[in-house]
Amino acid sequence: LLLRWRRRRRLWRKVAEAQQRQERSLVQMQMAVQRFREQHPSVNMVSILSLPLPELSKKLRDGSLPLEHVFYAYVGKALQIATETNCITEYLQESETQLRKAKVMGKLGLLYGVPVSIKDSIDCQGHDSTLGFIKNLNKPAAEDSVVVQVLRRQGAIPFVKTNVPQSLISYDCKNLIFGQTFNPLLFTRSPGGSSGGEGALVGGGGSILGFGTDVGGSLRFPAAFCGICALKPTGNRLRYSMNALFWSFPVVSAVGPIAKDVESLALCMRALLCEDMFNLDSTVPPLPFNEEVYSSTQPLRIGYYETDFFTMPSPAMRRAVREMKQLLEDAGHTLVPFELTNVDYVIFNFCVRGMFADGGTSFLNKFKGELEKSSMGLLFWLAKSPNWLKTVTSWITKPFVPRFSGIIRSLRANTVDEVWSLHHEIEEFCHQFIAQWKKLNLDVMLCPMLGPALRIGYPGKLSVAVSYTMLYNILDFPAGVVPVTMVTDEDEEELKGYQGYFRDWWDRTLAKAFRGSVGLPVAVQCVALPWQEELCLRFMKEVETL
């Protein structure tokens, strides 16, 4: 007991030190902004913050806007948003040194002088990538991840790291070290996750361009919940350090940008898909940004669906897809219904079983020595249970709560032979999905996106609601999010009749999580085939414009 008490005390001391570092970071930001304002009292920060990224980038490159003005304008705004939402974990003080060096750069990259924010889990040299784990504190990264190296070579200035949920397996944003991050649009709502710090900071205007990762919607949830845009590329189109995660295939993780508008995402992809990216990581296919595809004005043939028949869409989600379908048809595009089948099998058998193929052993090992696991108590109990108990529990619960039964069954430990069969089955599913896509001769797909933002604490109870996003991690298709409407009083009224497809505890809880959301943004997903990020962005731009 004494040893356990001492170990816990030591861990709490590490947490306290990390929180003090976070507070010091905010003080450093405040002092830096104060110094700048004293030296340049006439600078109009508001006009700088109102510039969209393409225009800001152009002004920085042609010298009509000084680098310091832009940098300190965003440091000041980021400080304000961090104070309101608790989204920043660390200020990268070396960004001020990089700012001074940038002035004497010979070759100006596409993102010259642009301040960018980086998700906690993406390595920045000399800084922790905690993933919300206490054990990862005081273990600074030896070098920048590939995506950060390319950003620096393109002239961008990473200036802050942002908050994440513990382990990244959540679409909320809370951990024991840095606490809860709040939605900048409504503080009682979650900013989404796991790139929740990025969503809150970019959504609040404290960063013009952010970078996060996506393994089940981790970029798309924050963008949808905070009313901004994000792109999850094909898994290997961009690269970052993968050493922090404990799974890869079959649920494919990707790194991508998050910004206020689609043109900013396109500029970012132009900058990143360069020789530096291809040379630094030879596993990235050397496919530069295809300008011709992105700037095309040819009418598109667009598949669409309003529901996946697993998670019932909220009235606002359904209306968002219907309204966009009508607007796209009026603009001359062809809309074709696309039928999704067996999504429950995909979620349980491919996603859950694929991620926890060893019965959850790797997952449990990540939490060894951590202080608190209460937010995932049920998952821990299931992961620790022997296979026979999982089988019996699954069988008993099937008539009453079929979805819970499916999750329990999927958490069984698999033999190597079963894992190979699962991988083969997923490949077959991908081929069938693409065959259905090709049969309908589609260019892109319009899909629902979970929204509006859920109340804080609810995403942890509603892990089943990731069905709309996780499908495209299994398929490894590029998928982007664009906000298209807001929740109306009529949507709120219609929500009173929401029952869900299973009428279980999860459906009732989701209805509660949606309530009281009038005025909050609702987005749609735009999807393309693998390696067609430019076409995906082109479709997103069309949706945004309409």
Side-chain angles (χ1 to χ4, degrees), residues 192-415:
S194 61
S195 309
E198 285 301 316
L201 188 61
V202 176
S207 173
I208 198 164
L209 181 64
F211 289 86
T213 59
D214 190 307
V215 78
S218 299
L219 266 167
R220 289 162 286 164
F221 280 116
F225 285 12
C226 297
I228 48 179
C229 301
L231 175 70
K232 177 204 83 71
T234 311
N236 227 32
R237 191 83 197 257
L238 302 174
R239 283 292 278 181
Y240 77 108
S241 167
M242 290 289 286
N243 61 347
L245 298 177
F246 44 89
W247 69 82
S248 55
F249 190 80
V251 182
V252 182
S253 177
V255 63
I258 185 166
K260 285 271 189 180
D261 54 69
V262 179
E263 197 59 59
S264 300
L265 301 178
L267 176 61
C268 170
M269 293 301 283
R270 272 189 209 103
L272 291 177
L273 296 174
C274 62
E275 285 303 314
D276 287 325
M277 176 67 75
F278 311 140
N279 291 335
L280 284 166
D281 192 329
S282 301
T283 64
V284 174
L287 299 170
F289 191 83
N290 190 326
E291 203 63 57
E292 190 183 337
V293 171
Y294 178 65
S295 56
S296 168
T297 54
Q298 288 290 315
L300 295 167
R301 191 170 165 86
I302 304 163
Y304 76 95
Y305 56 90
E306 292 180 13
T307 178
D308 62 5
F309 297 103
F310 182 77
T311 305
M312 183 179 277
S314 67
M317 285 167 68
R318 204 182 282 271
R319 181 174 57 78
V321 174
R322 283 178 185 166
E323 287 181 0
M324 264 334 298
K325 171 191 175 285
Q326 191 58 54
L327 287 168
L328 287 160
E329 281 180 332
D330 293 346
H333 301 286
T334 305
L335 274 289
V336 182
F338 189 94
E339 193 178 332
L340 281 185
T341 55
N342 297 329
V343 171
D344 54 346
Y345 186 82
V346 171
I347 295 299
F348 298 141
N349 213 49
F350 298 168
C351 300
V352 180
R353 189 176 158 212
M355 286 170 66
F356 300 99
D358 60 359
T361 305
S362 304
F363 173 75
L364 286 172
N365 288 341
K366 281 286 172 185
F367 284 84
K368 267 187 185 167
E370 290 298 307
L371 279 171
E372 194 180 274
K373 316 173 184 86
S374 59
S375 60
M376 295 184 179
L378 182 61
L379 186 56
F380 272 90
W381 180 81
L382 290 170
K384 286 176 180 175
S385 303
N387 268 7
W388 68 265
L389 184 57
K390 289 173 189 170
T391 305
V392 170
T393 311
S394 171
W395 181 73
I396 292 169
T397 56
K398 191 173 183 179
F400 314 106
V401 270
R403 284 200 284 189
F404 183 55
S405 170
I407 287 173
I408 298 169
R409 191 172 60 253
S410 304
L411 282 169
R412 286 188 313 105
N414 292 266
T415 64

Side-chain angles (χ1 to χ4, degrees), residues 81-218:
I81 300 302
T83 308
E84 292 171 359
T85 66
N86 186 35
C87 57
I88 291 174
T89 59
E90 196 171 3
Y91 175 53
L92 311 184
Q93 213 170 359
E94 69 271 18
S95 57
E96 294 181 37
T97 309
Q98 193 188 339
L99 178 70
R100 288 191 289 274
K101 287 180 180 174
K103 289 190 204 171
V104 292
M105 271 179 82
K107 183 189 167 194
L108 304 186
L110 281 176
L111 296 174
Y112 174 69
V114 175
V116 298
S117 50
I118 307 290
K119 183 179 180 177
D120 165 278
S121 58
I122 300 174
D123 284 351
C124 290
Q125 187 178 12
H127 299 276
D128 294 339
S129 296
T130 68
L131 286 82
F133 286 120
I134 299 167
K135 68 172 77 171
N136 292 338
L137 287 170
N138 307 324
K139 292 180 182 175
E143 62 176 3
D144 287 335
S145 64
V146 171
V147 74
V148 174
Q149 289 182 56
V150 178
L151 282 168
R152 291 194 198 277
R153 292 186 189 193
Q154 284 287 351
I157 304 173
F159 75 115
V160 288
K161 290 197 86 175
T162 57
N163 204 21
V164 294
Q166 188 183 37
S167 81
L168 311 188
I169 308 188
S170 172
Y171 60 104
D172 201 348
C173 192
K174 181 185 180 182
N175 61 69
L176 198 64
I177 306 166
F178 302 112
Q180 174 76 51
T181 298
F182 305 96
N183 191 313
L185 305 177
L186 186 61
F187 297 154
T188 58
R189 300 285 160 146
S190 168
S194 61
S195 309
E198 285 301 316
L201 188 61
V202 176
S207 173
I208 198 164
L209 181 64
F211 289 86
T213 59
D214 190 307
V215 78
S218 299

Side-chain angles (χ1 to χ4, degrees), residues 17-35:
E17 286 167 5
Q19 289 169 348
Q20 285 166 9
R21 275 199 303 275
Q22 183 190 28
E23 285 169 22
R24 280 200 300 273
S25 281
L26 298 182
V27 170
Q28 286 165 356
M29 291 170 77
Q30 190 175 7
M31 288 169 67
V33 173
Q34 205 170 322
R35 276 196 309 271

